[in-house]
Amino acid sequence: MIPEKVINEYFKPTEVESINAFGNGHIHNTYKVETSWASYIFQRINTSVFTKPDLVIHNHLLLQDHLEDAVNQKYIIPEIVKTREGKNYYSDENYGFWRVTNFIENSYSIEKAEYPTQAYEAGEAYGWFIKSLHNIDVRLFEETICNFHNFSFRLGQFEDAIAKNIVGKKENIKSEIDFYLQRKNSLLLLEKDIISGKIPPRIVHNDTKINNILFEDSKAKAVIDLDTVGPGSILYDYGDALRTIANTSIEDEDNLEKVKLQWDNYCHFTEAFLKETKSILTESEKQNLHIAPILMTYIIGIRFLTDYLNGDVYFKTTKPNHNLIRTRVQIELLKDMEMRKPEMKTFISDYF
Ligand code: ADP
Ligand code: GN1
Ligand code: MG
């Protein structure tokens, strides 16, 4: 729950009508707080993940300023709400680091795109987000988690976790480990083009899963969860989004037969995303976009498996072997993506 001390930084005790845990994020503790005039989202920032949370606030304020002036304000983002003393967050040793934003009314998030129209809506919203940040100075943003989608770095963490085997679970997952190690070389090649700048750095969202879009009725309304926004590649956002938006199952499905690349959703998301971003895409981005879903499904898969090997210390888990279940879903999806890689390539080249 939210400590009284924290609530009092924002409201008088009599002003608060209700406080409830909210949402399905894997990282922060999120609450909805209702008052008689408006509702708010209180988040205790996970400072094991975001070790410099003031950088998260810095980036968020930059985004707010920039998007306020954007020519095309098709979507909204959450805005930071100040404490009664006018500060952008509240932090102390006992209660942690708290950030408050306005609650986006009449909206809902989904864990899985049920309809191609939802995939299309998400493609337009995430495409809009990148396009709106196209002309912002990349150097103004701080990297809130260093090497977040750096392939070699994530691979290094995975290989380290295998070698240390601290909770003794390595023996259970021999086939999963082999699956990933067999595939690493081709993705290391793609990473070279990202690091060399051949695929250009941009300010991107960096966490484009489907539940980081808020919908109203059947329309995307807001892009949320801005904590990782910062330097990156458009490949990250395109690929990471398809990992949840074009998956026939939820991220922690037990029945692996349900996991496939949802082709209709793939096409709808891609079409909307390209419609928004085509005017800013470089040739190297167009040439490599089709590999992005494979890259990102691989990276998140090894991050789940690394966490399983480390004893579930990073992602929130709610059942035994939760991270292993998540990994297995990513593996099934990745296999299907590999099979359909030529079709993904053709779909994108036909679009242009
Ligand atoms: P996490 O980093 O833990 O995923 P998020 O910022 O994504 O945290 O928040 C978790 C969930 O809370 C979101 O998926 C969404 O459902 C809900 N949520 C977050 N911020 C808002 C907001 N400003 N208005 C309405 N719902 C929100
Ligand atoms: C986390 O915060 P949330 O739940 O939107 C994670 C993403 C992963 C995702 C997997 C800061 O996203 O990178 O892709 O879980 N965010 C962070 O579901 O690590
Ligand atoms: Mg989230």
Side-chain angles (χ1 to χ4, degrees), residues 2-11 42 90 95-96 98 100:
I2 311 178
E4 225 175 287
K5 171 88 179 92
V6 175
I7 284 281
N8 290 343
E9 289 292 320
Y10 287 87
F11 305 114
F42 275 63
Y90 176 74
Y95 302 120
W98 289 82
V100 178

Side-chain angles (χ1 to χ4, degrees), residues 5-143:
K5 171 88 179 92
V6 175
I7 284 281
N8 290 343
E9 289 292 320
Y10 287 87
F11 305 114
K12 294 181 192 145
T14 51
E15 290 174 335
V16 174
E17 292 185 342
S18 69
I19 303 177
N20 288 294
F22 200 79
N24 288 317
H26 290 344
I27 304 295
H28 304 308
N29 291 343
T30 300
Y31 304 89
K32 179 179 179 186
V33 172
E34 291 177 311
T35 68
S36 62
W37 65 91
S39 298
Y40 298 87
I41 287 283
F42 275 63
Q43 288 179 303
R44 183 183 174 150
I45 302 297
N46 181 334
T47 48
S48 308
V49 170
F50 293 96
T51 52
K52 294 180 183 162
D54 48 317
L55 300 186
V56 171
I57 303 289
H58 166 89
N59 287 354
H60 195 143
L61 294 170
L62 273 176
L63 274 177
Q64 277 180 206
D65 273 0
H66 183 79
L67 291 176
E68 222 166 69
D69 298 337
V71 186
N72 188 350
Q73 296 181 350
K74 272 207 285 200
Y75 303 94
I76 53 175
I77 60 168
E79 304 263 330
I80 288 186
V81 173
K82 291 184 191 297
T83 65
R84 290 153 77 188
E85 283 182 0
K87 297 198 192 119
N88 289 311
Y89 58 86
Y90 176 74
S91 157
D92 77 24
E93 270 181 17
N94 295 328
Y95 302 120
F97 192 104
W98 289 82
R99 181 253 327 267
V100 178
T101 54
N102 60 310
F103 181 82
I104 297 177
E105 295 290 348
N106 306 316
S107 73
Y108 63 94
S109 58
I110 53 177
E111 295 304 310
K112 173 176 171 307
E114 297 290 346
Y115 311 107
T117 47
Q118 291 171 329
Y120 191 91
E121 284 293 316
E124 202 168 336
Y126 280 137
W128 163 85
F129 188 80
I130 292 180
K131 169 114 187 268
S132 305
L133 298 174
H134 169 58
N135 54 5
I136 201 165
D137 183 352
V138 177
R139 290 164 306 182
L140 293 176
F141 280 79
E142 304 283 352
E143 216 180 352

Side-chain angles (χ1 to χ4, degrees), residues 26-27 148 207 209 212 225 243 251 300 303 314-315:
H26 290 344
I27 304 295
F148 193 51
D207 191 359
K209 68 186 201 189
N212 290 329
D225 201 345
R243 186 184 70 76
E251 195 177 61
I300 312 296
R303 285 178 59 204
Y314 186 94
F315 296 103

Side-chain angles (χ1 to χ4, degrees), residues 150-168:
N150 176 327
F151 183 74
S152 318
F153 176 75
R154 294 302 186 185
L155 201 58
Q157 288 185 319
F158 178 48
E159 289 177 336
D160 226 40
I162 298 170
K164 293 199 177 111
N165 192 23
I166 50 174
V167 291

